[in-house]
Amino acid sequence: MSTIANKVPLGQKIAFGLGMLANQMFPAVIGIFIVVLVKDLGFPGWMWGVVSLAPRIFDAITDPIMGYISDNTKSRWGRRRQYVFIGAIIMGIAFIIMWQLFRESSLDYNFWYFLLTSFLFYLGLTIFSVPYVAMGYEMSDDFHERTSIMAVSQWIGQWAWVIAPWFWVIMYDPEWYPSADVAVRELAIWVGIIFAICAMVPAIFIKSRSTVNEDYSPLTLKNIGGSLKEIGSNFVEAFKSVPFKKLCFATFFVFNAFNTVASFTFFIIVYYLFNGDATAAGIWPTLFGSIGALVTTFLVIPIVAKMSKVLGKKKAFMVSQGVSVIGYIMLWFLFIPGKPYMFLFALPFFSFGIGGLFTLMMSMTADVIDLDELKTGKRREGVFGAIYWWMVKFGFGIAGGLSGTILTVIGFDSVLEVQPEGAITGLRLFFSGLPIVGTLLAMYIMRNYDLTEERANEIRAELDQRKTTI
């Protein structure tokens, strides 16, 4: 059984949470800023799809390699901290560069500029995020303390989704900026600097033991190149773990069904509720995201953390996702022209889906890593974290590509102030329907997940016993 020694000081949890704030802020802001590509710089749907999909596929490829490097690093700073620090710097600088787009430039130039600089940003994100997530898995071996760590980090990280939607107000308010492309050029500088600093905090304040004398594979170019075979083997081994496979695919369906349609919120509110007038829409697109995130921060995460202790992690997942399905159904009926305030009543239900997802899934992944160590004798937080987030990011790329494809298929055209009726109906059908399908698939996958608290404690005891006999 776990002891009080496995409790993590609140300051350490907050330091980890500030890293999560950065980890969520950058994609949250990209989700806001990317509207400018379509609405202000004239990107057609296929261009949006390409710039969303291609860099994230690259990101998904580099993640497992970074996981291998992180797991095998010999250093007096440990395996993770130096990469988190370096990745934060690259990520912040690249984010600033990426958004220096001008409407005076040609469409093709802006497309290629944004696409190529995106690759640099996602490389920085990989160098930061893979070791960062692994740090969280290593912070405690207590079943419930892991949920507490992730709950605190998600609570802090959710502020990204509270803050980011307000950029919509700033971008489209002529008293702030003459145009949205001017806005993103300047706002990107502030976001890049402030949240790169947040990303450095875990590297500075979360201590780790030296790995100089560990028996790891040397990180030569030859070995890293040769490690591709081992990385492939790790993928195969990881997916032999049935509980881990369930976590990955359940997350894939919930998170990426949501992300495919998340950017449609702005278009539905502006074009359906306010007939294409972004100025008249005012702060309503912002309130959707910001209030939803506040509900997640102060209501969903505490409730899910409590449910996890009372019901267990799997049942807490099933309940929270079931509540989110109700929320998506409500949004179909509560997007009402002339009554934009009505959709606010759906947000407490809608927010349980994403709000509870990573609090539970990251905690359950740490339990799976214990199971893997019991079976293989290897401690592979970096590899498992990379594979898990590979599924998330690869799906996120697919989601971006699907978003552009859906806009093209339904006939949405950002140049038109008033959209064809079928286009708006299509947006609303996808907005509610696709996440419902994804969530129900995830719940089906998780229906017989069997790594309970009792089993997790048995595994922990066996691992502790093994260490004392070495």
Side-chain angles (χ1 to χ4, degrees), residues 68-237:
Y68 177 86
I69 292 171
S70 177
D71 277 349
N72 288 282
T73 293
K74 296 181 182 182
S75 164
R76 65 188 180 92
W77 298 291
R79 297 188 289 178
R80 322 290 183 191
R81 296 169 66 195
Q82 60 272 50
Y83 299 122
V84 171
F85 191 86
I86 293 167
I89 294 172
I90 296 172
M91 183 169 61
I93 293 172
F95 186 84
I96 293 169
I97 295 171
M98 185 168 71
W99 292 102
Q100 301 310 304
L101 299 166
F102 296 83
R103 65 174 65 208
E104 295 82 9
S105 302
S106 70
L107 178 61
D108 286 345
Y109 176 86
N110 281 335
F111 168 72
W112 284 107
Y113 177 90
F114 186 81
L115 179 63
L116 295 176
T117 53
S118 293
F119 283 107
L120 179 62
F121 168 77
Y122 281 102
L123 177 62
L125 181 62
T126 289
I127 295 171
F128 160 76
S129 66
V130 172
Y132 164 73
V133 169
M135 288 175 77
Y137 296 147
E138 294 173 332
M139 289 176 73
S140 175
D141 57 17
D142 181 86
F143 185 80
H144 290 302
E145 187 67 2
R146 286 168 169 169
T147 304
S148 175
I149 292 165
M150 299 310 168
V152 171
S153 70
Q154 289 297 320
W155 190 93
I156 296 172
Q158 275 298 312
W159 285 96
W161 306 96
V162 176
I163 296 166
W166 289 95
F167 287 128
W168 267 330
V169 176
I170 297 171
M171 285 158 49
Y172 288 102
D173 186 338
E175 293 185 9
W176 280 88
Y177 292 101
S179 63
D181 59 308
V182 175
V184 299
R185 288 199 297 270
E186 182 173 318
L187 292 172
I189 296 172
W190 290 102
V191 171
I193 293 172
I194 292 170
F195 294 100
I197 293 171
C198 288
M200 296 176 197
V201 169
I204 297 169
F205 292 103
I206 297 180
K207 305 303 179 185
S208 56
R209 63 180 179 82
S210 170
T211 55
V212 170
N213 297 318
E214 295 292 336
D215 185 24
Y216 297 151
S217 301
L219 288 176
T220 62
L221 286 175
K222 181 179 178 181
N223 280 359
I224 292 172
S227 74
L228 292 174
K229 182 178 179 181
E230 185 174 340
I231 290 168
S233 299
N234 285 333
F235 259 72
V236 173
E237 276 190 49

